[in-house]
Amino acid sequence: MTAHEQLVARRGRRSGITTMVAIHSTALGPAVGGCRFKPYATLDEAVGDVVRLSAAMTAKCAVAGLAFGGGKSVIAPEPGRVLSPEERRAVLLDHADLIAEFGGRYQAGPDVGTGPADMLVLREASPYAFCTPESAGGTGSSSGPTALGVLAALRAVTSPTGRRVVISGYGSVGAHLAVSLQAAGADVVVSDIDPAKRAGAEQQGLTWVEPEKALTLTADVVIPAAVGGVLGPQTVARLDTPLVVGPANNQLTDDTVADDLAARGILWIPDYVASAGGILYTLSREAEGLAHEAALARVQTIEDTVQTIIKAAEANATTPLHEAAALAGRRLTSGAEPRTPSLPELRTTA
């Protein structure tokens, strides 16, 4: 993977809070990636996160066949600081100012800590934000399409019917997955670091397990659906499942863990392949103007992509990660048809 094109960090003039944008690649088109709103222990930790995530977005867009590159942004308030609604709005506007300076080379969407309403605030100072609320002309939350993409990736390997599926992370995407998998006849186990979510999960008929146990339960499928960096050598040694596929970004502590998984006979579908449903749907709708059903059909192509990667890994005695990276590399090298997709101007409703 190539080096980053640009990284800019700035202290907001309104809020005094540090925000940053990392552009990894614009080889295929404008860089897209979510805006993460999260406190970090150090500035170096925030920079490390935005750099890793932006590189993953390049691979995600390339493998998905999108004419967009990879970027990411971070809003990093001090640890322990609780922002008032006014302070949150101020830092979002500061961040929008920074995004605007890139002139469309980076376009933001929701991520951990942000949602459609926050994208609407960004649009006040910059046109380069997507997934605004449907009432404002956007597509709203991408959680549903992201979950559909994970299900498509799962179907490339097995049917969920009669399977025991463990979902680590019962947030918006994890909850969508739980509903769909339960409806498909799976025995669904969920966990989350927020114990307040347990009651709702159990009311839905799901089995609850504490977070520290989720990734090591005996299961047919394990779905990481929360934070990244959860699959390292020690965790992999304790996994008791033949298949890991999920939407959490940057699941591996480093790429060599893919070899550890393969050595144990565990099939791991690269996260940036399985999690592409949200970006595929959103950009198909907001940048290309496709209708809802046509955009959903794009999400379903993830199943074919996963099958292609698995077959290549089997034929070449490699891993799905190796083949996904090779596919991304080929597309980045060959480039795309010259075009500059752009997001629509904000539409308001009466």
Side-chain angles (χ1 to χ4, degrees):
M1 197 69 74
T2 59
H4 280 71
E5 294 181 8
Q6 196 169 5
L7 170 65
V8 178
R10 182 162 303 154
R11 191 177 297 277
R13 63 181 177 85
R14 300 174 185 84
S15 64
I17 294 173
T18 299
T19 79
M20 61 188 70
V21 171
I23 295 178
H24 179 257
S25 173
T26 55
L28 296 178
V32 293
C35 169
R36 182 162 292 200
F37 201 129
K38 175 185 172 182
Y40 292 85
T42 65
L43 183 60
D44 285 346
E45 184 181 326
V47 169
D49 208 19
V50 78
V51 165
R52 285 189 298 271
L53 291 166
S54 57
M57 283 303 302
T58 295
K60 180 181 292 191
C61 290
V63 170
L66 291 165
F68 286 85
K72 206 76 174 182
S73 62
V74 159
I75 297 172
E78 299 88 342
R81 179 175 175 179
V82 178
L83 301 183
S84 68
E86 293 76 18
E87 288 172 324
R88 182 181 179 88
R89 175 178 169 78
V91 70
L92 285 167
L93 290 174
D94 286 337
H95 194 50
D97 287 344
L98 177 57
I99 291 170
E101 292 181 17
F102 290 88
R105 290 182 61 240
Y106 168 70
Q107 302 176 6
D111 197 79
V112 173
T114 60
D118 297 313
M119 298 305 102
L120 196 57
V121 176
L122 293 183
R123 280 287 190 99
E124 292 182 27
S126 164
Y128 308 116
F130 50 90
C131 284
T132 57
E134 294 181 55
S135 60
T139 54
S141 172
S142 62
S143 297
T146 299
L148 287 176
V150 175
L151 293 172
L154 176 58
R155 283 198 309 273
V157 182
T158 186
S159 166
T161 304
R163 308 291 186 184
R164 190 184 198 214
V165 182
V166 176
I167 303 173
S168 177
Y170 193 57
S172 54
V173 178
H176 276 290
L177 286 167
V179 169
S180 297
L181 289 166
Q182 188 180 50
D187 172 19
V188 182
V189 180
V190 299
S191 73
D192 197 273
I193 59 172
D194 182 0
K197 295 179 179 179
R198 178 171 184 168
E202 291 180 339
Q203 286 177 358
Q204 189 184 320
L206 306 172
T207 301
W208 181 272
V209 66
E210 295 306 313
E212 61 273 13
K213 299 178 181 179
L215 293 176
T216 57
L217 289 179
T218 300
D220 297 300
V221 185
V222 168
I223 298 180
V227 297
V230 295
L231 297 177
Q234 292 183 340
T235 302
V236 168
R238 297 171 59 209
L239 285 173
D240 189 10
T241 182
L243 175 62
V244 179
V245 52
N249 292 314
N250 292 349
Q251 293 168 23
L252 307 185
T253 53
D254 65 72
D255 286 354
T256 63
V257 176
D259 298 316
D260 298 336
L261 287 157
R264 290 209 55 220
I266 299 170
L267 178 61
W268 177 71
I269 307 303
D271 41 38
Y272 59 78
V273 179
S275 66
I279 198 74
L280 265 169
Y281 178 84
T282 299
L283 296 179
S284 294
R285 292 289 310 278
E286 296 197 24
E288 298 187 36
L290 294 188
H292 171 69
E293 293 301 328
L296 287 181
R298 283 263 186 95
V299 174
Q300 301 301 341
T301 64
I302 291 174
E303 181 176 354
D304 294 332
T305 301
V306 171
Q307 288 177 341
T308 297
I309 289 168
I310 291 174
K311 288 177 182 177
E314 291 173 347
N316 298 326
T318 59
T319 65
L321 178 61
H322 177 89
E323 298 302 332
L327 176 57
R330 289 193 298 271
R331 289 180 173 169
L332 286 164
T333 300
S334 61
E337 294 182 5
R339 61 179 177 142
T340 307
S342 59
L343 297 167
E345 293 297 324
L346 176 64
R347 297 189 295 274
T348 58
T349 57

